[in-house]
Amino acid sequence: MNEGLSDYAEFITLGNIPVDHLAYFFAFHSVNLEEWGSGDVHTLENYGAAFLYMLYLHENFGGVRIISDIPVSYTHLRAHETVLDLVCRL
């Protein structure tokens, strides 16, 4: 979920479509969302599958509102933190 949400956030905020992730998913499409593949090819394939799942939820169950109901771990948010985009610390 976390990785799908990362690509989805870029799609919603910047309009970026993760073309490389989708290309690998469509080329191999042998992954499921319950197991994260290993190796470079399978990792990109997993990112594509996760993004498409987020897009499916967005299009079929309420847009950004449904996505905002999915919990994301604080540790994962901190892993993507930058100086310009700080994660709130309590």
Side-chain angles (χ1 to χ4, degrees), residues 4 7-8 17-18 21-22 25-26 33 45-60:
D7 278 350
Y8 176 78
I17 296 173
H21 298 164
L22 295 176
F25 174 76
F26 290 125
L33 292 172
E45 184 181 357
N46 281 107
Y47 276 100
F51 170 71
L52 288 174
Y53 182 64
M54 293 301 116
L55 196 57
Y56 171 81
L57 292 176
H58 171 87
E59 291 179 349
N60 292 284

Side-chain angles (χ1 to χ4, degrees), residues 14-31:
L14 303 173
N16 293 345
I17 296 173
V19 176
D20 53 342
H21 298 164
L22 295 176
Y24 276 92
F25 174 76
F26 290 125
F28 299 101
H29 61 289
S30 62
V31 299

Side-chain angles (χ1 to χ4, degrees), residues 81-87:
E81 183 177 60
T82 67
V83 174
L84 297 175
D85 194 21
L86 297 176
V87 174

Side-chain angles (χ1 to χ4, degrees), residues 33-89:
L33 292 172
E34 295 178 8
E35 298 178 27
W36 197 263
S38 60
D40 294 335
V41 171
H42 295 294
T43 299
L44 292 175
E45 184 181 357
N46 281 107
Y47 276 100
F51 170 71
L52 288 174
Y53 182 64
M54 293 301 116
L55 196 57
Y56 171 81
L57 292 176
H58 171 87
E59 291 179 349
N60 292 284
F61 297 101
V64 176
R65 189 179 75 242
I66 190 70
I67 301 299
S68 67
D69 291 339
I70 298 172
V72 177
S73 75
Y74 179 74
T75 303
H76 183 80
L77 290 174
R78 290 292 313 277
H80 294 281
E81 183 177 60
T82 67
V83 174
L84 297 175
D85 194 21
L86 297 176
V87 174
C88 178
R89 297 189 183 109

